[in-house]
Amino acid sequence: MSADGHNLPPPGARADWTIDQNWDRYTAAEHQVWIKLYERQSALLPGRACDPFLRGLDALDLHRAGIPDFARINEELQRLTGWTVVAVPGLVPDDVFFEHLANRRFPAGHFIRKPEELDYLQEPDVFHDVFGHVPMLTDPTFADYMQAYGEGGLRALHLGQLHNLARLYWYTVEFGLLQTPAGLRIYGAGIVSSHAESIFALDDPSPNRLGFDLGRVMRTPYRIDDFQQVYFVVPSLQALLDATLADFGALYAWLGAQPDVPIDAVLPSDQVFTRGTQAYAKAGGRG
Ligand code: HBI
Ligand code: FE
């Protein structure tokens, strides 16, 4: 931590925390982990992930021969929505993260998990970031949402409101569900990159599935180390983008006077898609 309270980038990283991907340095074993994860998810997701995600997966041809070369996928991604993927060593400070998003750059972890970590890891790796987040960035509406989120994040930081915005990110970008005529579909990266949660989020009777509402989401805590107890459903990606047009200043003022909503609660004002049994949470998490 330097004098002005800013985190300095680690050795070898540039001032914006980006590093070279050095794609040709990945080992065959690392590419094999990607292929194993990719094949498992791509067999599971048709009928579960939303169409924009599946279209993005195809457009970027992420399977090829293992961990994607960012330079290659950026040609197509930039053509589609102006976004690019940049390599970073891992989690970056909030202000750095938002600055990248506000400029249509998605910071992707450079490393890939170990074969023994296939199902859970603490920090987002290249599979979570590139398989989970990047396909949705090929959708013009979601691409606009992610940039608006970055701009909102920079404002929230200066207003001391990051915690509210982090909840919005968590319940949309990471764990969001989309309403479609064929039923609920996944768009959240934290779900699509997880085999178990891609099943749990849609099929399990335990969690609540409630209609998305900006203020409700910002009043709802979340937990980072287990399946979600509540998922929020947007009627369309356009509705999600439209939510960023709200007057966040007034919303933050209103939120300041509101208590958090207990994570397992259903409010009378909630639009209920499924009222969960919360059995999973009561059972104390991963059985
Ligand atoms: N850094 N590389 C990376 N990836 C993230 O998803 C990320 C981050 N830094 C901060 C952060 N996410 C969160 O604080 C925001 O989602 C709110
Ligand atoms: Fe993520």
Side-chain angles (χ1 to χ4, degrees):
M1 185 73 90
S2 65
D4 64 358
H6 264 257
N7 297 304
L8 289 174
R14 289 177 277 270
D16 63 1
W17 284 63
T18 58
I19 57 175
D20 295 334
Q21 186 191 14
N22 290 320
W23 179 79
D24 48 7
R25 291 190 195 163
Y26 288 118
T27 65
E30 288 173 315
H31 284 302
Q32 200 48 46
V33 172
W34 173 281
I35 290 170
K36 186 173 173 73
L37 288 165
Y38 183 98
E39 289 181 343
R40 197 172 67 165
Q41 286 308 93
S42 57
L44 177 66
L45 290 175
R48 289 183 178 276
C50 66
D51 287 345
F53 176 87
L54 296 172
R55 282 198 297 271
L57 212 47
D58 285 343
L60 300 177
D61 186 16
L62 292 184
H63 182 269
R64 286 285 178 93
I67 298 169
D69 180 348
F70 295 179
R72 175 184 67 77
I73 60 176
N74 281 339
E75 286 166 21
E76 181 64 6
L77 182 60
Q78 193 142 29
R79 189 183 67 78
L80 288 170
T81 58
W83 275 84
T84 55
V85 186
V86 291
V88 289
L91 286 174
V92 303
D94 293 328
D95 59 337
V96 172
F97 184 63
F98 294 129
E99 180 67 22
H100 280 301
L101 297 188
N103 290 282
R104 297 209 171 209
R105 294 188 301 265
F106 189 82
H110 160 263
F111 68 98
I112 194 157
R113 65 195 74 179
K114 299 276 177 289
E116 60 275 13
E117 289 178 309
L118 224 46
D119 283 317
Y120 186 70
L121 75 166
Q122 282 297 334
E123 194 166 348
D125 70 341
V126 67
F127 187 77
H128 169 93
D129 281 329
V130 175
F131 181 93
H133 284 284
V134 173
M136 286 301 293
L137 295 176
T138 64
D139 177 274
T141 305
F142 195 79
D144 289 354
Y145 174 70
M146 283 295 276
Q147 180 177 16
Y149 181 87
E151 291 163 349
L154 291 171
R155 287 194 297 272
L157 273 179
H158 298 133
L159 294 169
Q161 295 287 343
L162 179 68
H163 58 291
N164 289 317
L165 219 77
R167 289 172 172 179
L168 176 60
Y169 190 85
W170 191 264
Y171 283 118
T172 59
V173 180
E174 293 296 356
F175 292 96
L177 297 180
L178 174 66
Q179 189 177 12
T180 81
L184 300 187
R185 293 292 184 267
I186 304 163
Y187 70 91
I191 308 176
V192 281
S193 57
S194 157
H195 187 262
E197 197 149 5
S198 295
I199 296 167
F200 180 89
L202 293 183
D203 299 354
D204 201 282
S206 172
N208 293 321
R209 296 175 184 89
L210 307 176
F212 172 84
D213 170 87
L214 194 57
R216 174 68 163 84
V217 164
M218 288 188 172
R219 291 172 61 200
T220 308
Y222 58 87
R223 52 186 195 178
I224 62 170
D225 59 354
D226 211 336
F227 295 161
Q228 302 311 306
Q229 289 178 255
V230 56
Y231 295 94
F232 288 95
V233 180
V234 292
S236 67
L237 295 178
Q238 185 62 49
L240 185 60
L241 177 60
D242 292 346
T244 65
L245 304 176
D247 173 356
F248 277 57
L251 179 61
Y252 292 147
W254 175 77
L255 285 165
Q258 301 294 320
D260 279 352
V261 178
I263 193 168
D264 58 351
V266 176
L267 301 180
S269 53
D270 285 335
Q271 177 191 3
V272 179
F273 285 81
T274 51
R275 184 183 295 273
T277 61
Q278 295 298 327
Y280 178 82
K282 290 188 192 92
R286 289 187 191 283

